[in-house]
Amino acid sequence: MALTDTAIRNAKPSGKTVKLSDGEGLQLWITPNGSKLWRLAYRLDGKQRKLSIGAYPAIDLKTARQKREEAKQLLRDGKDPSAQKKVAKLSEGAARGATFGIRADMLIEAKEKAGKAERTVSKVRWLLGLARPDLGKRPIGEITSIEILAVLRKLENKEHLEIAKRLRAAPRPGGILTAD
């Protein structure tokens, strides 16, 4: 029997985890401490697996059903919804946590470890330092081509055309110093 919003709101915790089924593998787990958590039970390669969808009421019944359908579509496409969720979470965290400044420092460190000449390393450090005031604290995944263009335009406005050209062609931390 499908769940209703009223049934979910009225469900009370007991001494053990209670599982209420909405059908097609979607379950609401009510833990002894009162948390209400959405889970999706599914089979992949003959093995039972579970996907955490989120907590009620942050994820309401309608949203939980939509997420169930998205997961079922992934299964039809031969993909593991749990693995897809992990990959998305890792890439989102990496994009959010990796700022231009951090990636620039990593690039400089890599050049030093690779045994590049001190002059080469200092040029890369200098070029990336020109963009650091504007982009240094910005997450790589959020930097837009307009922001990059603004950095290059500042140099061009100061008549530093060759420097702007070199900065645009410089080794790129995260591949972001192109105005594509």
Side-chain angles (χ1 to χ4, degrees), residues 30-105:
I30 304 168
T31 63
N33 68 4
S35 297
K36 296 177 181 179
L37 307 170
W38 291 109
R39 300 281 189 262
L40 178 66
Y42 63 97
R43 286 197 171 278
L44 185 68
D45 298 329
K47 293 183 181 178
Q48 175 81 24
R49 300 180 189 225
K50 296 215 183 328
L51 174 68
S52 174
I53 295 178
Y56 179 87
I59 305 288
D60 63 358
L61 180 59
K62 182 178 178 182
T63 306
R65 287 175 176 163
Q66 288 171 346
K67 291 192 178 279
R68 173 187 61 198
E69 292 310 312
E70 291 168 10
K72 294 285 186 177
Q73 183 60 48
L74 286 172
L75 284 168
R76 285 189 289 273
D77 294 342
K79 298 176 183 173
D80 183 359
S82 185
Q84 294 288 94
K85 183 179 175 183
K86 286 177 187 175
V87 168
K89 192 173 185 178
L90 286 173
S91 62
E92 179 185 310
R96 204 174 340 107
T99 64
F100 176 85
I102 291 170
R103 289 283 177 93
D105 292 339

Side-chain angles (χ1 to χ4, degrees), residues 100 130-155 167 176-180:
F100 176 85
L130 294 172
R132 203 178 283 261
D134 295 314
L135 304 176
K137 294 182 180 173
R138 298 275 293 135
I140 291 287
E142 295 178 12
I143 296 175
T144 64
S145 58
I146 293 171
E147 291 173 290
I148 296 164
L149 192 58
V151 171
L152 298 174
R153 292 287 185 247
K154 280 184 184 179
L155 291 169
L167 180 59
I176 63 158
L177 273 182
T178 56
D180 297 336

Side-chain angles (χ1 to χ4, degrees), residues 1-22 27-38 56-57 61:
M1 184 167 105
L3 290 173
T4 63
D5 226 18
T6 306
I8 295 170
R9 277 194 309 272
N10 293 336
K12 303 291 179 213
S14 64
K16 61 180 183 172
T17 300
V18 177
K19 299 176 187 177
L20 304 176
S21 179
D22 186 56
Q27 302 170 341
L28 181 69
W29 290 16
I30 304 168
T31 63
N33 68 4
S35 297
K36 296 177 181 179
L37 307 170
W38 291 109
Y56 179 87
L61 180 59

Side-chain angles (χ1 to χ4, degrees), residues 24 106 112 160 163 175 179:
E24 297 183 47
M106 289 170 58
E112 290 171 341
H160 299 305
I163 295 170

